[in-house]
Amino acid sequence: MRFILAALIVIPVLSSDVRAQTFSDNFNRPDGSVGNGWSPYGAGAALAGGELRTIGSPGLGGGVVRSLSVAFPLSFSFDFSTADPANGGWFIAFNAVSTLVPGPAMAQVSFFQFAGSRNVYRNINDPTEASPNLPEPIPGWENYGSAPAHIRGHVNADLSSVITITYADSVQVTASWAATAPGPIGAALVLGNSSAYFGPHFFDNLLVTSTCQTTPCITSPPDGASPQSSFCGTFGN
Amino acid sequence: MLVDGSPIGSSGVVVDSEGNWEALAYLFGAPAPVIRVQDRSTTALSNQITVHPQASFSLGPPVPANLLTAVLPLRHADILVIASTISPQHVLYGPSYTHTALYLGGDGNGTPLISEAIPGSDPSAQTYGQVRSLPLESSTVWTEANRMSGWHASTALTGSTRDAIVAWAKTVAPTPPASLSGLPYWNVSTLLNEVDGADALLVAFGGTITSRFTAFLNVLNSAKNSTTSFICSTLVWRAYYEGSGHALDISSPNNMTAAPGSILGSLPSSFLGLFIQELDPVLVVPQTFVTSPKLSQIF
């Protein structure tokens, strides 16, 4: 089979199964500017020791944003640790319109948590929905610390969602949400802290796997990539 | 492959039996081009990505004239073979191609990468090392060649074999800064001295294979099989050999020849065939690849 310019030769049709589109960043680059298409926002972020080091600030938070359009359903995961356990929390937004500092980014959907023992929020351009929506600190839930916890989530096409947090001591807790209508749809991925406190707050091993809704599908490079070349090596299925 | 809605290349991109495709798209001239692919039978369009390619432009080899789009079908683990008029190999055996390298595919940002081994005397060795992986337009494949060709295995490789070939190459030929303290090119004089020495002995002894002649060949064989130093062709050959689990040896058959006027080409015709026959198993050169029935030319 061949792809090309509105071509003329009749060829077999591609299968219609869905395709994966993956973006990952382990932040294993030299200390300093984040690179890889990311830009800092809010109180700032930089690479330090192979991790993304973000700074919190009242009304600002801090983190990074990059161009990345994703399709749902998608799965995501990252590691999170903090120097301020009582106030260390994370924030991630998909198809964000902007970072919209201060406050949560306007996005198709975003999630955040102010500390490990507190509720997790799904934000669809307000109102936010808490899960498990229990009094805080939630029994059995733990604050984050210097050892990384693993946050893993899955968002369906109807935006019903599940997030599983695995704390550094292997204790697991889960938050979930029902289907809902999307927020305003942009084209940015936002990752940062949700903290009014300096921290610093650390991220590592980000992985976003979304479903390419099309066949054919370009799976690499990601939208917004910056090849150091006049060429771009692409692949897909 | 569509860039800003316009097709590039003349023959499209091939989808393999595993349902995957690759393309090396030329983008210069548009600051933020939008890339899509289109199924020729259904006209279905892919998702679109906007990329931001490097703004600078460097002219590659003049041949083929359509090089910028000829490379479109390249897939990771394909082989580039190029000709340069400044190579000392011309003196030795007068080849039509003098350098080879492995195409690694695009990195996470789409930057096309090349693995190659070049002599320490090449100016770029100071910046990138001798056995290195680097962006296409920084490689000698792009900067020093007069002519480029692309090759792939005649029997299609599986995706996992391509991955393994590239992974092996990246291990021995890392990107800078690791490549700056990485593995070296052969001692530059090894190839010429050993071949010259064997040549002289063969002539001196009237075509008789002596123990000294065999010793020269053994040095070449040891160098060919070394994994601590490489020339361009041993890097590519070994990557294929290791990546295929020793199933694909593109050094055999070795159909290299010697052109009239070169050192080897000046051998008495009665000795030349014997000499080349003895060299075949111990020396792999770019000419080996372009004459191999195990490889087919892409452009």
Side-chain angles (χ1 to χ4, degrees), chain A residues 1 236, chain B residues 14-22 75 156-159 162:
Chain A
M1 284 182 288
Chain B
V14 176
V15 180
D16 65 22
S17 61
E18 297 171 279
N20 300 312
W21 57 268
E22 288 181 62
R75 308 194 63 181
L157 301 176
T158 63
R162 288 182 181 276

Side-chain angles (χ1 to χ4, degrees), chain B residues 135-160:
Chain B
L136 168 65
E137 286 132 302
S138 300
S139 71
T140 62
V141 165
W142 194 260
T143 61
E144 297 181 10
N146 306 102
R147 180 160 44 97
M148 182 193 293
S149 62
W151 301 76
H152 60 193
S154 299
T155 301
L157 301 176
T158 63
S160 59

Side-chain angles (χ1 to χ4, degrees), chain A residues 170-234:
Chain A
S170 300
V171 169
Q172 274 192 351
V173 297
T174 299
S176 61
W177 297 265
T180 189
I185 299 174
L189 172 67
V190 186
L191 180 69
N193 66 66
S194 59
S195 183
Y197 298 87
F198 182 88
H201 315 282
F202 299 92
F203 294 82
D204 204 355
N205 299 317
L206 172 67
L207 176 64
V208 177
T209 303
S210 77
T211 301
C212 201
Q213 299 294 304
T214 63
T215 48
C217 174
I218 299 174
T219 57
S220 182
D223 189 33
S226 302
Q228 297 303 298
S229 173
S230 297
F231 295 89
C232 183
T234 63

